[in-house]
């Protein structure tokens, strides 16, 4: 958080407002969510998911909630606008399912159950929409390189959730909208494929089983056996701790992993 003011009073006030925003976000239902949600399943970093599964203490003090807060406000705005254009498509069936909870998988335990809130499902067009409010450079990246595996997996997981709810989705859609002074929109979509969602769930179960087998809570030295992604996005990972040589105290990140491993070996 960066807080500045035009004088000493204004600077203190800016600091207090910033602290209020951070604290309020930390107390929100989104921030306190315990179970892994559809938006996290496709995370390419197995180590990050493992920390998440164990609710490991977070170490990255660079986490900034403002992007998520703005995104939440945009989702609310879109929900309101689609509710205003809601229509009956026959037999009392409404065209739009707006911010409705769906069950992607009903498990035998809380950990294996996967639920989430789908942004928008159009029953007439048979499309599941996911809104993503992003920076301009990110929008350009998604336009050139596609949505990435994390967002692609999330889209198909919600497609499966809609199918489980009795819908018949034809396509999944991710709408990228830039936080910019002019409107920039990029849409990625592809036919809904149940196998994409099922493969992601199988991977999640594999990672969870590895965590159980290694038991890093009792054997913290085994964290090194849980790999990072080939190209992890470390900057805003909640468990990033640059320079860390003890993965139970945080991950040094991709650029420092080899150095930290070598240093740990020397210390041992």
């Amino acid at each position: 958080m960066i807080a500045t003011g035009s004088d000493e009073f204004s600077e203190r006030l800016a600091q207090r407002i910033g602290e209020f925003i951070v604290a309020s976000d930390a107390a929100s239902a989104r921030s306190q969510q315990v179970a892994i949600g559809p938006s996290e399943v496709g995370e390419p970093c197995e180590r990050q998911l493992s920390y998440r599964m164990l609710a490991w203490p977070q170490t990255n003090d660079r986490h900034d909630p403002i992007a998520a807060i703005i995104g939440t406000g945009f989702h609310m705005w879109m929900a309101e606008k689609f509710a205003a254009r809601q229509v009956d498509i026959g037999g009392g069936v409404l065209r739009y399912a707006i911010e409705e909870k769906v069950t992607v998988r009903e498990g035998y335990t809380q950990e294996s159950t996967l639920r989430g809130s789908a942004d928008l499902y159009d029953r007439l067009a048979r499309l599941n929409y996911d809104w993503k409010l992003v920076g301009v450079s990110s929008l350009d990246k998604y336009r050139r390189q596609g949505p990435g595996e994390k967002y692609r997996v999330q889209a198909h997981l919600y497609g499966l959730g809609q199918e489980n709810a009795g819908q018949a989705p034809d396509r999944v859609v991710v709408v990228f909208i830039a936080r910019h002074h002019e409107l920039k929109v990029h849409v990625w979509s592809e036919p809904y494929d149940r196998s994409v969602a099922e493969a992601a769930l199988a991977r999640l179960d594999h990672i969870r089983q590895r965590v159980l087998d290694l038991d890093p809570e009792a054997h913290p030295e085994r964290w090194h056996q849980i790999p990072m992604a080939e190209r992890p996005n470390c900057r805003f990972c909640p468990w990033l701790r640059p320079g860390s040589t003890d993965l139970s105290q945080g991950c040094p990140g991709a650029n420092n992993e080899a150095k930290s491993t070598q240093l740990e070996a020397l210390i041992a």
Side-chain angles (χ1 to χ4, degrees), residues 36-45 48-49 52 130 132 141-142 146-158 174 176 188 196 200 203 233 236-239:
I36 286 178
S39 64
E40 300 168 285
V41 175
E43 166 57 50
C45 184
Q48 185 179 139
L49 276 172
R52 178 74 174 82
D130 200 340
K132 301 295 182 189
K141 181 189 73 172
Y142 295 130
E149 193 62 14
K150 186 174 181 178
Y151 286 161
R152 180 173 182 258
V153 163
Q154 181 184 0
H156 286 281
L157 287 172
Y158 277 119
V174 181
F176 296 98
W188 171 89
V196 173
R203 172 181 176 264
N233 184 10
F236 294 110
C237 172
W239 296 276

Side-chain angles (χ1 to χ4, degrees), residues 8-234:
E8 184 179 349
F9 170 82
S10 301
E11 188 167 335
R12 290 200 306 269
L13 186 58
Q15 184 70 26
R16 290 181 62 184
I17 292 171
E19 290 170 352
F20 168 78
I21 292 171
V22 171
S24 298
D25 177 73
S28 69
R30 172 179 54 80
S31 297
Q32 295 183 339
Q33 177 181 321
V34 176
I36 286 178
S39 64
E40 300 168 285
V41 175
E43 166 57 50
C45 184
E46 186 170 330
R47 185 178 295 167
Q48 185 179 139
L49 276 172
S50 300
Y51 281 128
R52 178 74 174 82
M53 289 172 179
L54 292 173
W56 210 256
Q58 298 183 10
T59 58
N60 188 356
D61 58 6
R62 296 175 65 181
H63 172 69
D64 192 318
I66 195 63
I69 293 171
I70 294 171
T72 298
F74 178 78
H75 277 69
M76 293 172 62
W77 188 86
M78 290 292 276
E80 177 187 325
K81 299 310 172 186
F82 273 95
R85 60 176 296 172
Q86 186 71 274
V87 293
D88 188 321
I89 56 175
V93 176
L94 299 178
R95 176 171 182 175
Y96 301 115
I98 305 167
E99 295 288 346
E100 287 192 2
K101 295 288 185 182
V102 294
T103 299
V104 177
R105 177 174 68 179
E106 189 72 65
Y108 294 105
T109 64
Q110 181 180 355
E111 290 76 16
S112 60
T113 297
L114 186 65
R115 296 189 178 94
S117 180
D119 293 346
L120 180 75
Y121 182 72
D122 185 337
R123 293 186 175 95
L124 190 61
R126 293 164 61 165
L127 303 176
N128 190 83
Y129 288 91
D130 200 340
W131 316 123
K132 301 295 182 189
L133 204 62
V134 299
V136 176
S137 60
S138 293
L139 183 138
D140 289 340
K141 181 189 73 172
Y142 295 130
R143 179 179 54 80
R144 289 182 280 104
Q145 302 176 11
E149 193 62 14
K150 186 174 181 178
Y151 286 161
R152 180 173 182 258
V153 163
Q154 181 184 0
H156 286 281
L157 287 172
Y158 277 119
L160 178 56
Q162 298 295 356
E163 186 180 348
N164 291 339
Q167 311 296 347
D170 279 342
R171 298 183 71 90
V172 292
V173 182
V174 181
V175 182
F176 296 98
I177 300 159
R179 297 187 296 269
H180 195 54
H181 61 267
E182 65 177 340
L183 183 61
K184 289 189 174 184
V185 179
H186 172 68
V187 170
W188 171 89
S189 74
E190 70 179 14
Y192 164 60
D193 186 345
R194 183 189 182 97
S195 68
V196 173
E198 291 175 335
L201 293 173
R203 172 181 176 264
L204 186 69
D205 291 341
H206 171 77
I207 294 172
R208 181 175 286 112
Q209 188 58 52
R210 174 180 285 194
V211 169
L212 291 173
D213 292 342
L214 291 176
D215 190 9
E217 291 181 290
H219 305 280
E221 72 281 0
R222 294 179 181 175
W223 272 112
H224 279 289
Q225 298 181 44
I226 302 176
M228 287 189 294
E230 290 184 9
R231 293 184 174 181
N233 184 10
C234 297

